[in-house]
């Protein structure tokens, strides 16, 4: 029997957080090995376990998987969170790429020059409320189902919940114009595996603080 | 019967080129609708056909698909260029995601101002020859097969060829230390559908030059 997946990353959200969400939502227990300092990353590189010298890396099913999207796609497909056919998969991919773009903006915010922070935050809020959230609100409105695609929980729903919560950390009332997304958030948060992940003590990571950003800069030389 | 896929983008590589490669490799004829001005972009936006108000957009099988990865995933799966099972798909995805990273770097090269070009080229050479190419050279060496995954043509091969050619446009001898990549390049270029795509007059686009950048920027900003 294969062991639990093992995640290699820093002790923060970054590009690994969506993977943690997906595994948790699928009810899959996983272990984590944290890169605390530059030497830890060097060791992984010298051990030859990082295909392109980068993390995230997830040891799973006999593979040392790298590249966030490759890892996410594999997990989604394995645990039946990727729709039932090619067309559902296409919609899930489109939705997930949208939330990836939005979360990417939020993730990089702490790494932007300090004097651009206010402008970038304003752009995030504008994009969230005029480009991204309206799409998901409309999708839910048009079919009236509980889930984005195929009337069934998929990677798209889990990713959207993650994006919503991250956006609310930027602006707590960011969903004020989106009643269906508010209901969606309540509903998906209550799914037992997800509810568990949202409780204190889970493997969910907090937003990066100044101290953590400094550590990340040192580890990755950025 | 569904019509040919219709690609909406500007007349250049950008984020649509990989889609062109995949369709061509799969032997699928496609039409293109080029954005020439901001008005063209505004028209698409007003027609409500761009899910996230962005291009690329591809009309295919009754969908108006956006997001280049979603589009490429769909085409690859539809035309059997995505491996035969989950694990092959995982390998293909890993290879392809890294190639997209390298492509971004390569595409940015032609847009560098003259005083930054040399340093940018140094970065490309470093990443291509130390991080990316050795991986694909080793993959081919380890299994000794013609294709990267599953002994069968997949999107990983198509995208690797695309990237190798783009890399050589930046620096013609970039493959000097990678004999298996050189023979891969020759072999894969000779696949009939791909050979056709590589001929003059095909829908393959040339690299964007710095002088063309203002026109492209006007469309989007």
């Amino acid at each position: 029997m294969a062991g639990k997946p093992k995640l290699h990353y820093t002790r923060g959200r970054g590009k690994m957080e969506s993977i943690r969400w997906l595994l948790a939502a699928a009810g899959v227990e996983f272990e984590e090995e944290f890169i605390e300092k530059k030497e830890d990353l060097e060791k992984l590189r010298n051990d030859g376990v990082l295909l392109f010298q980068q993390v995230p890396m997830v040891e799973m099913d006999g593979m040392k998987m790298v590249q966030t999207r490759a890892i996410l796609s594999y997990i989604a497909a394995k645990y039946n969170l990727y729709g039932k056919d090619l067309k559902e998969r296409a919609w899930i991919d489109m939705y997930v790429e949208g939330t990836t773009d939005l979360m990417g903006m939020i993730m990089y915010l702490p790494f932007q020059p300090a004097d651009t922070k206010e402008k970038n935050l304003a752009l995030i809020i504008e994009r969230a409320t005029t480009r991204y959230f309206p799409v998901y609100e409309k999708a839910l409105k048009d079919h009236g189902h509980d889930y984005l695609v195929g009337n069934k929980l998929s990677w798209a729903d889990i990713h959207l919940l993650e994006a919503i919560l991250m956006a609310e950390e930027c602006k707590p009332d960011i969903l004020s114009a989106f009643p269906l997304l508010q209901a969606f958030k309540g509903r998906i948060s209550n799914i037992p595996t997800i509810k568990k992940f949202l409780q204190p003590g889970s493997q969910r990571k907090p937003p990066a603080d100044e101290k953590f950003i400094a550590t990340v800069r040192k580890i990755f030389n950025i | 019967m569904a019509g040919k896929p219709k690609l909406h983008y500007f007349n250049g590589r950008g984020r649509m080129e990989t889609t062109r490669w995949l369709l061509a490799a799969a032997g699928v004829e496609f039409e293109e609708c080029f954005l020439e001005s901001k008005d063209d972009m505004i028209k698409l936006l007003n027609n409500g056909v761009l899910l996230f108000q962005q291009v690329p957009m591809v009309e295919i099988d009754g969908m108006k698909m956006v997001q280049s990865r979603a589009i490429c995933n769909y085409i690859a799966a539809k035309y059997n260029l995505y491996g035969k099972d989950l694990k092959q798909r995982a390998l293909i995805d890993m290879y392809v995601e890294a190639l997209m990273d390298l492509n971004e770097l390569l595409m940015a090269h032609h847009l560098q101002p003259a005083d930054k070009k040399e340093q940018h080229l140094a970065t490309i050479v470093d990443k291509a020859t130390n991080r990316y190419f050795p991986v694909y050279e080793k993959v081919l060496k380890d299994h000794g097969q013609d294709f990267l995954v599953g002994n069968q043509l997949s999107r990983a091969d198509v995208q690797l060829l695309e990237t190798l050619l783009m890399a050589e446009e930046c620096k013609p001898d970039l493959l000097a230390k990678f004999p298996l990549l050189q023979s891969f390049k020759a072999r894969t270029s000779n696949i009939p559908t791909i050979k056709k795509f590589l001929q003059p007059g095909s829908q393959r686009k040339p690299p964007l030059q710095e002088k063309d950048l203002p026109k492209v920027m006007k469309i989007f900003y």
Side-chain angles (χ1 to χ4, degrees), chain A residues 51-52 54 61 65-67 69-70 73 77 86-87 89-90 93-94 97 101 130-132 135-136, chain B residues 51-54 61 65-67 69-70 73 77-78 86-87 89-90 93-94 97-98 131-132 135-136:
Chain A
L51 190 61
F52 300 105
Q54 296 166 314
D61 296 343
M65 291 198 69
V66 296
Q67 297 291 344
R69 276 182 183 82
S73 296
L86 223 56
K87 281 208 171 175
R89 203 170 173 139
D93 278 342
M94 282 191 266
E97 287 296 304
D101 284 349
T130 62
R131 176 172 287 189
Y132 295 111
V135 170
Y136 303 99
Chain B
L51 188 66
F52 297 111
Q53 300 151 26
Q54 297 165 312
D61 296 343
M65 288 199 71
V66 296
Q67 296 289 350
R69 278 181 176 85
N73 286 356
K78 182 176 176 180
L86 223 57
K87 281 208 171 176
R89 199 175 172 136
D93 277 341
M94 283 190 264
E97 282 294 310
R131 176 172 287 192
Y132 295 108
V135 171
Y136 302 100

Side-chain angles (χ1 to χ4, degrees), chain A residues 40-54:
Chain A
D40 297 335
L41 181 59
E42 293 302 330
K43 181 164 191 295
L44 283 174
R45 285 173 170 160
N46 291 337
D47 287 347
V49 296
L50 303 180
L51 190 61
F52 300 105
Q53 318 304 326
Q54 296 166 314

Side-chain angles (χ1 to χ4, degrees), chain B residues 173-190:
Chain B
D173 65 347
L174 208 50
L175 292 189
K177 297 196 186 121
F178 305 99
L180 295 181
L181 290 182
Q182 291 176 41
S183 50
F184 172 90
K185 176 191 136 193
R187 202 169 55 237
T188 311
S189 299
N190 252 320

